[in-house]
Amino acid sequence: MQNSTIQKQKTELPPLIDREILFGNPEKTSPRLSPDGKYLAYIAPDENNILQVQMRTLGQQDDRQLTADKKRGIRIFFWTYSGEELIYLQDTDGDENWHLFLVNIQSNLVRNLTPFQGIQAQPIALDRNFPNEILVGLNICDRSKHDVYRINLKNGAVEFDTDNPGNIVGWNADAQFQVRAATATTADGGSELLFRETRENSWERLRSWGPDEEGGAVEFSENGKILYIIGNHDANAQRLIALDLAAKQETEIASDPEYDVSDIFIHPTTREIQAVSFYKDKQEWQILDPSITADFEAIGKLHPGEFDIVSRNLADTNWLVACVTDDGPVYYYAFDRTSKTFTFLFSNQPKLEGLPLSSMEPIFYTARDGLTIHCYLTKPLGIPTPIPTVLLVHGGPWARDSWGYDSEAQWLANRGYAVLQINFRGSTGYGKDFLNAGNREWAAKMHDDLLDGVNWLVETGVSQRDKIAIMGGSYGGYAALVALTFTPDVFACAIDIVGPSNLITLLQTIPPYWEPLKANMYHRIGNLETEPEFLKSISPLFFVDRIQKPLLIAQGANDPRVKVSESEQIVNAMKQAGKPVEYVIYTDEGHGFARPENRLHFYAIAEEFLAKYLGGRFEPAGNIANHSGVIDS
């Protein structure tokens, strides 16, 4: 009887959407204007389906490819202020040892600006008045800290600029392109704001935040007398504040009692802060500069959903606008501020247009201890409730899910599942009280929030209790492992993507440059030095004997955050305990799967796995081109 019901539901669903459309490369994305507004650069795949930086003259169709990455594809790039060059970031097979590469838009000549073995480059600042320089953090001298270097973009000379005493995690340069502010961590897990009048002066502390607070520097004013900062001291949520450096006086610029400052819109030449957003169920803008009010009003009418201004020229006459919706691609427009007119550029994935995609509904419920938990629910088209369901748990855990098109949510909905994405306690954006409610609650109240989400799904009739799976990456992968070990009878199955299984070994193997963050991690998770038994008590590895339900684990071999051993030790423990587990490892990936062939391979396996245990649909895997995935069943 149940099988016939499932079969009936299957026939009422819309056609299967090809995984290539959902998880393949975008057709065009990430447009950026050159400083003079003459050129538009963007990312698009080449003839070998590898993402490259491409360029056109704005208003023309003279598109051409600038880069020639051989394997991994380029995802992050930005213009230099010369207007003749741009910089992109690339690592090796997901190891996150980013290098900066400079490409000339006339000659296509590419140079590695940071050709140092085993280092990680962190871009700090470019400045329009210093077009031939870039400030970069490099961990050359000590892998655990990034000192500041000044790199000449013309001759490649790398000059040491500022020493990092070991605890600085953020740097800020003023309008004279001098590093004068820094955000540092403290021994108790908190942070502090440092300032120096000149390079010759010693650092002084302007403000401290405790381990349950957050804050840091944003930007100097043009005259260097004001330092804009964010912080949640004397408030629940992070506020935007102007700090008078002479008077040491703070003035609030923008705040919300419940939500942290999200995005900050800064004028490209005057350094004036023009607008601030707060991400609630959706993004909401607070305009500070009346001169952009009409612009934001015009953009707000352009397309349903949300918008972001992703680029602007130095003259500030042209903006590039991204319009985001929950059931289609991202649409990019060029906006002429003078005439208030829009020119459509492209969408990132035009094949999504017209497909039967689902809407993402913001919902909330009350946790067992009274905390309000915000979520997003995506339901499949064409079938009645109750619906087989997947809890899709975000990583971090100090991050959050947000509204908009989500390829995993749409994939699951199209296959016949409801999807619940829960911003459990410890998620960011909801103020420090909500964030701190997750401290030391891994596998405890953070997991209870997910269980309360399961109860909400059942009580509202969305789901059937025995047809709910859990899936996630990073912390979400850990949550999936916790689900099967700590609550073995709740979920029908679980999928863990690059999730830690043992918090002791996780903290023992963090990247060296996370050393300044370790005290805060100890504060929020548990102390490796003094509390190994506590960490063991919340580590799924030690409870594999409890596992009753099917588990799929996927891992990148070069993951610097969650080492491959995190997956392999629980796979081995399960095998020794006679527990079945499916395991796939990608030898050329890190913390997540960047290469489209690996993504398509993984989601084919995951789709069939979920169909087997939840009863949804799947597109047969076929002969997927993949040379790096090794399935160990």
Side-chain angles (χ1 to χ4, degrees), residues 227-303:
L227 180 61
Y228 299 108
I229 68 172
I230 55 171
N232 54 20
H233 54 282
D234 306 324
N236 174 47
Q238 290 196 48
R239 304 172 294 153
L240 180 64
I241 295 166
L243 172 58
D244 185 311
L245 293 168
K248 304 295 190 285
Q249 183 176 340
E250 295 181 357
T251 303
E252 181 182 293
I253 298 175
S255 68
D256 184 277
E258 186 179 349
Y259 296 92
D260 296 327
V261 166
S262 177
D263 199 6
I264 302 173
F265 192 61
I266 304 174
H267 192 278
T269 58
T270 68
R271 293 177 173 243
E272 178 187 357
I273 295 184
Q274 298 180 286
V276 174
S277 74
F278 298 89
Y279 209 105
K280 302 182 180 183
D281 286 341
K282 298 179 183 177
Q283 182 166 246
E284 297 183 13
W285 285 98
Q286 182 177 331
I287 295 174
L288 305 175
D289 177 4
S291 73
I292 65 168
T293 301
D295 300 309
F296 272 55
E297 287 176 351
I299 295 168
K301 297 173 184 175
L302 178 62
H303 206 282

Side-chain angles (χ1 to χ4, degrees), residues 79-364:
W79 284 94
T80 70
Y81 282 103
S82 73
E84 295 296 311
E85 297 152 327
L86 45 81
I87 291 171
Y88 68 88
L89 277 67
Q90 188 58 282
D91 69 347
T92 301
D93 290 341
D95 65 3
E96 296 185 19
N97 284 330
W98 302 104
H99 286 249
L100 301 186
F101 294 88
L102 184 77
V103 56
N104 184 287
I105 66 171
Q106 304 301 336
S107 66
N108 287 27
L109 179 68
V110 174
R111 287 188 287 139
N112 187 349
L113 294 174
T114 56
F116 309 105
Q117 190 71 27
I119 61 91
Q120 184 195 64
Q122 296 180 348
I124 296 171
L126 292 163
D127 193 283
R128 62 190 172 89
N129 293 319
F130 301 85
N132 298 321
E133 296 180 0
I134 183 173
L135 293 174
V136 182
L138 297 171
N139 55 345
I140 296 176
C141 299
D142 182 339
R143 293 294 187 264
S144 69
K145 68 187 184 86
H146 288 75
D147 301 309
V148 181
Y149 290 81
R150 191 175 294 263
I151 300 179
N152 186 302
L153 300 178
K154 290 300 180 187
N155 60 25
V158 179
E159 176 189 347
F160 186 88
D161 185 275
T162 302
D163 176 66
N164 184 343
N167 64 334
I168 292 177
V169 292
W171 305 93
N172 296 84
D174 64 8
Q176 278 65 54
F177 214 40
Q178 297 298 312
V179 175
R180 291 178 59 217
T183 304
T185 59
T186 53
D188 65 353
S191 57
E192 59 187 6
L193 179 66
L194 304 178
F195 170 73
R196 62 183 182 183
E197 194 61 51
T198 69
R199 285 180 58 179
E200 286 69 42
N201 291 90
S202 300
W203 292 103
E204 62 173 304
R205 186 172 68 237
L206 295 181
R207 162 163 291 288
S208 294
W209 292 275
D212 285 331
E213 298 177 317
E214 290 186 303
V218 175
E219 178 78 285
F220 280 95
S221 64
E222 182 68 14
N223 63 12
K225 295 180 178 180
I226 300 291
L227 180 61
Y228 299 108
I229 68 172
I230 55 171
N232 54 20
H233 54 282
D234 306 324
N236 174 47
Q238 290 196 48
R239 304 172 294 153
L240 180 64
I241 295 166
L243 172 58
D244 185 311
L245 293 168
K248 304 295 190 285
Q249 183 176 340
E250 295 181 357
T251 303
E252 181 182 293
I253 298 175
S255 68
D256 184 277
E258 186 179 349
Y259 296 92
D260 296 327
V261 166
S262 177
D263 199 6
I264 302 173
F265 192 61
I266 304 174
H267 192 278
T269 58
T270 68
R271 293 177 173 243
E272 178 187 357
I273 295 184
Q274 298 180 286
V276 174
S277 74
F278 298 89
Y279 209 105
K280 302 182 180 183
D281 286 341
K282 298 179 183 177
Q283 182 166 246
E284 297 183 13
W285 285 98
Q286 182 177 331
I287 295 174
L288 305 175
D289 177 4
S291 73
I292 65 168
T293 301
D295 300 309
F296 272 55
E297 287 176 351
I299 295 168
K301 297 173 184 175
L302 178 62
H303 206 282
E306 296 178 351
F307 68 84
D308 279 304
I309 292 88
V310 296
S311 184
R312 53 210 292 203
N313 64 341
L314 280 177
D316 207 31
T317 54
N318 292 313
W319 293 356
L320 297 186
V321 178
C323 294
V324 178
T325 183
D326 58 344
D327 59 357
V330 179
Y331 297 92
Y332 294 102
Y333 294 83
F335 174 54
D336 185 317
R337 293 187 66 209
T338 305
S339 62
K340 298 289 186 286
T341 56
F342 296 91
T343 303
F344 176 70
L345 297 174
F346 47 75
S347 71
N348 68 332
Q349 190 57 287
K351 289 180 181 177
L352 290 173
E353 295 174 29
L355 292 180
L357 299 170
S358 298
S359 60
M360 179 184 278
E361 177 189 358
I363 61 106
F364 68 90

Side-chain angles (χ1 to χ4, degrees), residues 40 57 75 139 158 261 277 283 370 438 463 533 557 573 582 585:
L40 174 79
T57 306
R75 285 159 184 80
N139 55 345
V158 179
V261 166
S277 74
Q283 182 166 246
S463 312
E533 287 305 314
E582 295 184 38
I585 180 170

